Amino acid sequence: MMRLAVFCFLLYTLLVASSAQSDSNQPVIQLRLAGEKKKHYEGRVEVFYNGEWGTVCDDDFSIYAAQVVCRELGFTGAESWSPSAKYGKGEGRIWLDNVHCTGSEKSLAHCESNGFGVSDCKHSEDVGVVCSSKRIPGFKFIRNQANSQEGLTVQVEEVRIRATYSHRKRIPITEGFLEVKDGGKWRQICNEDWNQKNSRVICGMQGFPGEKRFNTRPYKLLASRRKKNYWGFSINCTGNEADLSDCKLGREIEQKGNSTCGKGMPVVVSCVPGRVFAPSVSIGFRKAYRVEQPLVRLRGGAMIGEGRVEVLKNGEWGTVCDDNWNIRAATVVCRELGFGSAKEALTGARMGQGIGPVHMNEVECSGFEKSLTECYFNPNSLGCSHEEDAAVKCNVPAMGFHNRLRLSGGRNPYEGRVEVLGERNGSLVWGTVCSDSWGTMEAMVVCRQLGLGFASNAFQETWYWQGDSSADPVVMSGVRCSGTELTLEQCLHHGKHVACPKGGGRFAAGVSCTMTAPDLVLNAQVVEQTTYLEDRPMYALQCAHEERCLSGSADKADPSSYRRLLRFSSQIHNNGQSDFRPRASPQSWVWHDCHRHYHSMEVFTHYDLMSLNGTKVAEGHKASFCLEDTYCDEGIQKRYECANFGAQGITVGCWDTYRHDIDCQWIDITDVKPGDYILQVVINPNYEVAESDYTNNIMKCRSRYDGHRIWTYNCHTGGTLSSETEETFPGLLTNQLSHR
């Protein structure tokens, strides 16, 4: 028995020794993400082994292998992986093929495979991964394998600008010592090899468009007094990178206590903020800033600093096609608009479809252009549809806006009673917002300030949400927002003297937020092509009269008299990212017996005829609407139909058509004198339903009426022309009509 025990012990010792040996014999590799990356945490998987970089074949690759790759690179995990060289074809050897991982391996080298260099693949099969953007806390990156000449990029957990004590209260922090977090510790970088291109990249990451010079004297003084903890490498950026992780790692700096940076001191970075984010003391932010007419703008984004890219050319706004669209071009857009570098370059109309022309295609930027309009593009490459509209997400400065507002009592983080940090008796306390005049525009500002996207609802009663009773008192009232403000404080509101008859508590303002929203756009061309006059007898207009679709004089009109109607068709497209649904639930819809359908919205459209100075001379309105999908783009199913008490709404990619020959699709111009007018149509005029863009909800046309016929021309949707063209809309300011 004793011999058997000794034998077992010896066998166990041999097994442990052999497994330890096999672990130590595992080849040490270095990984990086390369190729046409859209984000810094995605790309083609490249492996450094035996002194050279190579790729990984997609055969048998799995999400488990992607998890191993991402964790080895310092990310918390993988979101997805892509076969067939999605990020472009690599070069050199294909180091690994038929990779099988369980997901628990410490390195890709520990996974089963054909062995290093054994592959029957081509570079058209190079695999790519998308990692989670979160870093593993305390992760220590191995950097001793690949020579910096071979293109090893900078890998750190976090980057920050640490302000000196005198600047701590300024928001945003634009200047201070640069620190990187590596292995769970914050470290400074030696400035011996530092240059302005590196600073430009750091500023871009922090949400600033550029870097500037600064006074080094106070920083030298501070650095001499402080204990330093240097990071062991220098950094080589070209200046057009969107993120530090795209810069090359420079030479290794010997770690010898404080003498690591013999001739220098810790790097200091000073950035220029965009005008909207000019520094202010942390109490009270600047009023919303109105910028001059730009050449580039963003539309349809849920957050500040993101949206569909639109360009102004020959006085008309148009979109950019996503062919060749990359992070470099996106960064030019972001910096031009006063943000930092781009977090992401989006393709495939991810921020909704634009209207009008596609102005640019196959855009190529160096990254140093002052404007996207300076970048190369192919003027001969046509045929792009709005399904390919390019968009961006930009880095924006940390303004701390979300710390002055919170949602309380909701069922999820996207809804609740709005509570603001306000001043009462000289101290800051949490309180509610008066719900008088509270609506969609105010809710939109709240959701954006909290980083929660668009408002899906604005509530004037919040009794069903149990908030903190200590925050019941009203600290803000009379709030009116235009929708462009960055914070609720920037909106108009009562000052110190709060006036709220109903009080807070159950009547406090509330919101629910969403990351996607619809975007309704009226087809101006259809209106222009279908306008005509019809004289119709009163006895044939009973239903319309009942629904208040005629002018006031019809109430006293003789039943045998005629009404003169300006008729046209409306084609309303949903170009957004979610379906347009009426706010009212079906239980509260109104049945109209005359027209035999339910009306889901009280006011959906305003139709007005105005004089050239903007005075309304006649109006017609679709008092309420039956919303449905009349037609859809190819491949999209209709979801909404009014018939038989069906669900109402407009699906993304579909449109609701109201033909010129249906009731109320007109303006009653019986009492209008001959002359020159403006025909105006406004969709969703009361902002009853939240949309990603309200500027395109209005449409204007020029109209000339001679008493017998009417001409309609120059129809255009709001936001499609430059502000100068809008303002000089023929005759609008001068009352002089220029002939067609």
Side-chain angles (χ1 to χ4, degrees):
M1 187 73 180
M2 184 71 177
R3 282 180 185 175
L4 183 63
V6 170
F7 174 73
C8 288
F9 176 73
L10 285 169
L11 184 64
Y12 172 74
T13 312
L14 279 167
L15 282 168
V16 169
S18 67
S19 74
Q21 193 180 357
S22 69
D23 265 7
S24 63
N25 286 344
Q26 290 281 12
V28 179
I29 60 169
Q30 190 89 47
L31 297 182
R32 70 180 179 191
L33 299 179
E36 284 294 313
K37 297 187 280 185
K38 291 185 174 67
K39 309 171 196 143
H40 66 269
Y41 42 88
E42 67 174 324
R44 180 176 63 247
V45 179
E46 295 199 344
V47 179
F48 186 74
Y49 173 72
N50 204 21
E52 61 179 299
W53 286 99
T55 62
V56 178
C57 183
D58 59 19
D59 291 351
D60 295 342
F61 202 83
S62 67
I63 192 68
Y64 302 113
Q67 294 282 8
V68 173
V69 167
C70 291
R71 281 203 305 274
E72 192 169 356
L73 285 164
F75 299 102
T76 52
E79 288 185 0
S80 61
W81 66 278
S82 309
S84 311
K86 181 190 171 182
Y87 298 99
K89 294 179 185 180
E91 293 175 350
R93 303 281 293 275
I94 295 172
W95 277 128
L96 292 169
D97 187 9
N98 298 108
V99 177
H100 290 268
C101 302
T102 63
S104 60
E105 293 87 353
K106 291 257 171 30
S107 167
L108 196 65
H110 299 178
C111 297
E112 283 183 32
S113 70
N114 294 351
F116 278 88
V118 182
S119 169
D120 58 357
C121 294
K122 296 174 183 166
H123 281 298
S124 57
E125 298 169 82
D126 286 343
V127 81
V129 297
V130 179
C131 300
S132 157
S133 60
K134 290 181 181 171
R135 293 280 188 190
I136 299 170
F139 185 86
K140 188 72 185 164
F141 296 90
I142 302 165
R143 297 185 179 83
N144 55 5
Q145 262 292 297
N147 189 315
S148 62
Q149 306 301 311
E150 292 285 352
L152 191 64
T153 53
V154 177
Q155 298 294 328
V156 291
E157 283 177 62
E158 276 182 75
V159 179
R160 73 179 180 190
I161 296 174
R162 190 175 177 198
T164 57
Y165 290 110
S166 58
H167 287 125
R168 289 275 163 88
K169 282 189 176 176
R170 290 174 78 80
I171 291 178
I173 293 169
T174 57
E175 183 175 301
F177 288 106
L178 173 66
E179 296 190 334
V180 295
K181 198 177 194 181
D182 188 22
K185 290 181 181 174
W186 287 104
R187 304 175 194 276
Q188 299 88 38
I189 296 174
C190 176
N191 72 351
E192 277 182 14
D193 297 338
W194 194 260
N195 59 43
Q196 271 194 298
K197 290 175 181 175
N198 296 349
S199 294
R200 176 179 160 86
V201 174
I202 299 295
C203 289
M205 288 174 70
Q206 302 298 314
F208 305 117
E211 77 295 341
K212 69 175 179 11
R213 297 188 181 280
F214 58 93
N215 182 5
T216 55
R217 201 186 258 163
Y219 290 103
K220 271 184 183 167
L221 217 82
L222 270 170
S224 64
R225 294 180 195 155
R226 282 185 178 174
K227 188 181 176 187
K228 291 170 274 298
N229 180 12
Y230 283 110
W231 193 55
F233 297 86
S234 65
I235 289 168
N236 293 329
C237 300
T238 59
N240 59 8
E241 295 89 350
D243 194 272
L244 189 64
S245 64
D246 298 321
C247 295
K248 298 283 187 279
L249 198 65
R251 67 186 177 92
E252 192 165 353
I253 297 168
E254 269 190 82
Q255 300 280 10
K256 288 183 185 171
N258 279 357
S259 63
T260 307
C261 189
K263 297 173 188 171
M265 58 177 259
V267 165
V268 174
V269 173
S270 183
C271 306
V272 183
R275 294 169 102 170
V276 176
F277 305 105
S280 58
V281 179
S282 56
I283 308 292
F285 300 102
R286 279 203 178 172
K287 289 278 181 223
Y289 191 87
R290 190 182 171 189
V291 293
E292 316 82 54
Q293 178 75 74
L295 291 174
V296 175
R297 70 183 183 188
L298 301 183
R299 280 286 186 270
M303 312 284 201
I304 180 155
E306 63 179 54
R308 178 178 61 252
V309 180
E310 297 191 347
V311 181
L312 187 64
K313 184 181 174 188
N314 300 331
E316 187 176 14
W317 287 98
T319 60
V320 177
C321 186
D322 64 13
D323 293 351
N324 297 354
W325 187 247
N326 62 20
I327 200 91
R328 197 172 281 185
T331 291
V332 170
V333 169
C334 291
R335 290 187 192 273
E336 177 180 1
L337 294 172
F339 305 115
S341 50
K343 280 193 281 198
E344 212 174 333
L346 299 164
T347 56
R350 285 268 302 281
M351 296 283 180
Q353 293 185 25
I355 54 176
V358 178
H359 280 325
M360 296 176 84
N361 190 11
E362 295 176 16
V363 177
E364 283 178 39
C365 303
S366 69
F368 294 104
E369 293 86 355
K370 288 274 186 285
S371 169
L372 185 71
T373 56
E374 294 173 17
C375 295
Y376 166 83
F377 68 99
N378 188 347
N380 303 316
S381 179
L382 306 167
C384 254
S385 73
H386 286 299
E387 290 172 10
E388 300 167 85
D389 284 343
V392 297
K393 286 186 179 180
C394 306
N395 285 311
V396 295
M399 299 295 288
F401 289 152
H402 59 286
N403 298 326
R404 303 179 63 82
L405 202 63
R406 69 186 184 192
L407 300 185
S408 175
R411 294 159 298 181
N412 58 57
Y414 282 80
E415 67 174 22
R417 183 173 83 169
V418 179
E419 293 178 0
V420 296
L421 201 54
E423 198 176 320
R424 275 177 93 89
N425 305 324
S427 58
L428 285 173
V429 293
W430 286 101
T432 58
V433 178
C434 185
S435 61
D436 285 356
S437 77
W438 187 257
T440 304
M441 280 304 184
E442 290 72 37
M444 282 285 207
V445 174
V446 167
C447 292
R448 191 187 306 117
Q449 184 174 346
L450 288 169
L452 299 176
F454 305 106
S456 53
N457 275 301
F459 301 99
Q460 292 193 345
E461 285 189 27
T462 49
W463 53 267
Y464 35 79
W465 285 330
Q466 288 301 310
D468 187 334
S469 59
S470 67
D472 275 357
V474 176
V475 294
M476 188 183 272
S477 63
V479 183
R480 297 304 296 266
C481 304
S482 69
T484 58
E485 297 87 353
L486 301 183
T487 69
L488 204 59
E489 284 185 4
Q490 289 177 354
C491 299
L492 290 172
H493 62 276
H494 297 152
K496 289 181 181 176
H497 304 290
V498 171
C500 189
K502 284 183 178 176
R506 59 176 289 178
F507 292 110
V511 298
S512 64
C513 306
T514 174
M515 292 309 290
T516 57
D519 182 21
L520 296 189
V521 185
L522 183 74
N523 188 324
Q525 207 177 352
V526 169
V527 173
E528 189 169 321
Q529 289 168 353
T530 56
T531 315
Y532 67 98
L533 292 181
E534 183 195 9
D535 289 340
R536 198 165 174 80
M538 269 300 292
Y539 63 76
L541 294 168
Q542 282 177 333
C543 278
H545 194 199
E546 186 187 301
E547 287 191 24
R548 314 298 301 159
C549 296
L550 301 174
S551 61
S553 63
D555 294 343
K556 297 172 185 173
D558 188 281
S560 61
S561 65
Y562 282 75
R563 307 302 295 178
R564 178 154 288 181
L565 307 175
L566 167 57
R567 309 197 75 147
F568 51 89
S569 295
S570 289
Q571 194 181 92
I572 298 153
H573 293 246
N574 181 1
N575 285 356
Q577 296 170 275
S578 64
D579 295 354
F580 184 95
R581 300 296 310 278
R583 200 167 72 180
S585 60
Q587 293 78 10
S588 58
W589 293 354
V590 180
W591 172 256
H592 277 256
D593 206 42
C594 219
H595 285 134
R596 311 296 298 166
H597 62 228
Y598 279 95
H599 286 167
S600 56
M601 285 180 76
E602 259 320 296
V603 179
F604 179 66
T605 339
H606 281 168
Y607 303 145
D608 297 313
L609 196 68
M610 303 187 301
S611 66
L612 296 183
N613 66 7
T615 311
K616 196 185 291 184
V617 295
E619 65 179 42
H621 64 282
K622 295 295 288 182
S624 40
F625 253 50
C626 137
L627 295 161
E628 64 182 355
D629 296 327
T630 314
Y631 299 102
C632 295
D633 288 333
E634 199 175 333
I636 295 173
Q637 288 287 112
K638 292 182 185 180
R639 296 179 61 186
Y640 303 106
E641 193 177 5
C642 292
N644 304 320
F645 197 28
Q648 293 194 19
I650 307 174
T651 306
V652 175
C654 298
W655 55 96
D656 193 357
T657 301
Y658 291 87
R659 283 172 49 89
H660 56 84
D661 53 3
I662 66 170
D663 259 8
C664 298
Q665 189 59 37
W666 63 56
I667 298 176
D668 180 354
I669 64 164
T670 308
D671 309 317
V672 173
K673 293 170 184 167
D676 293 312
Y677 297 98
I678 292 167
L679 167 63
Q680 179 176 283
V681 179
V682 186
I683 311 166
N684 193 15
N686 301 339
Y687 311 121
E688 201 177 312
V689 176
E691 296 185 49
S692 60
D693 186 359
Y694 287 111
T695 58
N696 55 21
N697 281 30
I698 190 166
M699 187 226 64
K700 291 181 181 181
C701 303
R702 297 305 317 276
S703 285
R704 170 164 279 187
Y705 174 48
D706 68 359
H708 307 287
R709 293 167 299 172
I710 197 156
W711 293 267
T712 306
Y713 55 97
N714 281 9
C715 291
H716 71 277
T717 306
T720 55
L721 305 179
S722 70
S723 55
E724 289 84 2
T725 315
E726 285 273 11
E727 282 167 13
T728 56
F729 191 59
L732 196 56
L733 299 179
T734 60
N735 283 353
Q736 296 299 309
L737 177 66
S738 57
H739 289 276
R740 197 173 182 187

